[in-house]
Amino acid sequence: MRPTEARIDLAALRSNYELARELAPSSKLVAIVKADAYGHGVHRCVEALSSLAAPPDALGVAMLEEAVEIRQTGSQLPVVLLEGVFEPAEIELLSQYRLEPVIASPEQVAWFLESPPSRPLRVWLKLDSGMHRLGLDTASFARAQAALSRSASVSELVLMTHFANADRIDGTDTQQQIETFDDAVEGRSDSQSLANSAALLTRPRTHRDWVRPGIMMYGVDPLERSVDASTRLQPVQRLVSRISSTREVPPGESIGYGSRFTTSERTRVGVVPVGYADGYPREAPDGTPVLVSGQRSRIIGLPSMDRITVDLTGIPDTAVGSPVELWGPNLPATEVARACGTIAYTLVTGVGGRVPRVYDE
Ligand SMILES: *Cc1c(COP(=O)(O)O)cnc(C)c1O
């Protein structure tokens, strides 16, 4: 059997979740589990969080299909659809599955009011406070607030927004977004929700009634520069494999597709059976770090679909079968991501469907 697997540390997940609770003790918490719990396996992650003394107050997913999957696992927790509905026909399914839509566009407001769900739901109304992706502008937000407050199909309204740059230390944009939001909700008694992981970690002022942590629960630090709290996060995902073959290559020879890497000395090349079809980025340049038997090595040659090649020259005691960590507790996904010109979110969510998830309780 191919030795490549994603080890998922559920104790680390619980610990990161508890940290989010500890940092925002007065807020309710929407545990964001979209995209198969950021690639960690939604079923087991929801189960692990639900069994805690203080389970999430709600779960957050991107869309109806993901929410239905959660209901099929038997979870009865409230589920928020962060993208809301894509067509009016989905609204009745919200009632059926007891799902809470985000309403973030004039079309979504109209659909909800014209074909309201048959039982009242909590509705999340989103303001565009400056990210200009989703959310209503200030004037439409005020009108929608008024209309939805009068609707018999709305049991509760949560006013929300989302930050474009909460990961930055120099947070003037975020400050501006908070002010825009506060102006738009002034005088309203509805509950409020602003904070993603980065804001939860750094800006207590944004905690309000509901926080929405995602990436931090999976132990990835979203901040440009770590703070004390974020150094307490424990990586949940560990992408591992083993060396499957080795060879000695003389100087002046090229390795792999496109002959990207050429040896400058006699080089011991190790093959690791993980490739871009498994979510290992094809963008990884020569020199991207990788751990072999706990020692730092580097990628040499272009990653291919099913395997990568690593430099074992001068790394003692490595042979076929030596353990490899692509990212995880001993090699932060953020460091690998930086080398590849991406963010750790894409690495952990991108692990391919053919990689078995193996859970450690
Ligand atoms: C994905 C998402 C989050 C979580 O963001 P993280 O950066 O992973 O914490 C929060 N709110 C909304 C609306 C989202 O789409």
Side-chain angles (χ1 to χ4, degrees):
M1 208 169 85
R2 190 174 73 142
T4 302
E5 50 191 36
R7 312 280 318 192
I8 307 296
D9 180 352
L10 294 172
L13 175 76
R14 288 190 288 261
S15 158
N16 300 327
Y17 169 86
E18 301 288 4
L19 177 63
R21 282 279 188 207
E22 179 190 323
L23 294 172
S26 317
S27 305
K28 290 193 247 184
L29 188 149
V30 190
I32 307 295
V33 295
K34 60 192 177 190
D36 198 27
Y38 288 49
H40 295 68
V42 70
H43 191 157
R44 295 296 300 269
C45 291
V46 166
E47 191 179 76
L49 296 175
S50 301
S51 63
L52 291 169
D57 300 290
L59 302 171
V61 295
M63 58 204 188
L64 184 74
E65 291 85 341
E66 292 179 332
V68 169
E69 207 181 322
I70 287 176
R71 286 287 176 257
Q72 284 164 351
T73 72
S75 174
Q76 298 301 317
L77 289 173
V79 177
V80 183
L81 301 189
L82 297 169
E83 300 264 342
V85 298
F86 292 89
E87 49 181 355
E90 291 179 12
I91 294 176
E92 196 42 42
L93 296 170
L94 300 178
S95 291
Q96 187 186 329
Y97 290 103
R98 285 166 302 100
L99 309 175
E100 306 176 7
V102 167
I103 294 187
S105 70
E107 291 77 12
Q108 288 177 332
V109 176
W111 296 340
F112 191 91
L113 293 172
E114 283 160 18
S115 37
S118 52
R119 38 173 161 167
L121 301 171
R122 181 161 56 203
V123 168
W124 300 62
L125 182 63
K126 191 171 193 175
L127 174 74
D128 175 8
S129 59
M131 188 167 176
H132 304 323
R133 181 188 61 169
L134 290 176
L136 298 163
D137 64 40
T138 310
S140 323
F141 184 77
R143 282 195 302 273
Q145 251 183 69
L148 291 168
S149 302
R150 284 193 303 269
S151 164
S153 295
V154 177
S155 59
E156 184 190 338
L157 204 52
V158 184
L159 306 178
M160 68 178 288
T161 196
H162 193 58
F163 296 124
N165 298 303
D167 54 320
R168 293 202 193 139
I169 302 297
D170 153 35
T172 51
D173 304 4
T174 305
Q175 196 54 40
Q176 186 56 54
Q177 285 195 262
I178 296 169
E179 280 162 31
T180 303
F181 180 81
D182 284 346
D183 288 346
V185 303
E186 204 185 335
R188 303 284 315 189
S189 58
D190 304 303
S191 47
Q192 302 178 2
S193 178
L194 291 82
N196 57 4
S197 297
L200 197 165
L201 285 162
T202 55
R203 293 169 185 273
R205 221 191 119 190
T206 65
H207 292 174
R208 311 286 167 106
D209 302 288
W210 289 88
V211 291
R212 308 190 306 267
I215 197 75
M216 71 174 287
M217 292 195 303
Y218 308 101
V220 173
D221 185 345
L223 303 174
E224 190 176 49
R225 265 177 289 141
S226 302
V227 297
D228 283 350
S230 67
T231 60
R232 289 167 61 195
L233 296 171
Q234 300 173 22
V236 176
Q237 187 183 98
R238 183 160 171 255
L239 184 63
V240 297
S241 188
R242 290 182 183 278
I243 298 288
S244 62
S245 73
T246 69
R247 74 190 57 233
E248 300 274 344
V249 177
E253 293 293 321
S254 295
I255 296 169
Y257 286 123
S259 305
R260 183 177 77 179
F261 180 84
T262 301
T263 55
S264 57
E265 56 178 345
R266 189 167 181 80
T267 299
R268 189 153 166 264
V269 181
V271 172
V272 185
V274 64
Y276 59 78
D278 304 299
Y280 193 88
R282 186 171 180 277
E283 293 70 30
D286 295 328
T288 302
V290 54
L291 292 183
V292 183
S293 299
Q295 305 163 85
R296 279 179 87 91
S297 174
R298 57 178 185 140
I299 303 296
I300 49 175
L302 186 67
S304 47
M305 188 184 293
D306 308 312
R307 53 193 68 82
I308 58 174
T309 37
V310 302
D311 188 0
L312 299 180
T313 315
I315 300 186
D317 304 325
T318 52
V320 170
S322 292
V324 175
E325 181 170 320
L326 289 317
W327 55 75
N330 307 302
L331 178 59
T334 45
E335 187 184 338
V336 178
R338 206 166 292 136
C340 299
T342 185
I343 56 174
Y345 290 70
T346 69
L347 300 188
V348 297
T349 58
V351 172
R354 71 180 185 180
V355 178
R357 272 61 169 177
V358 180
Y359 293 88
D360 301 311
E361 287 297 330

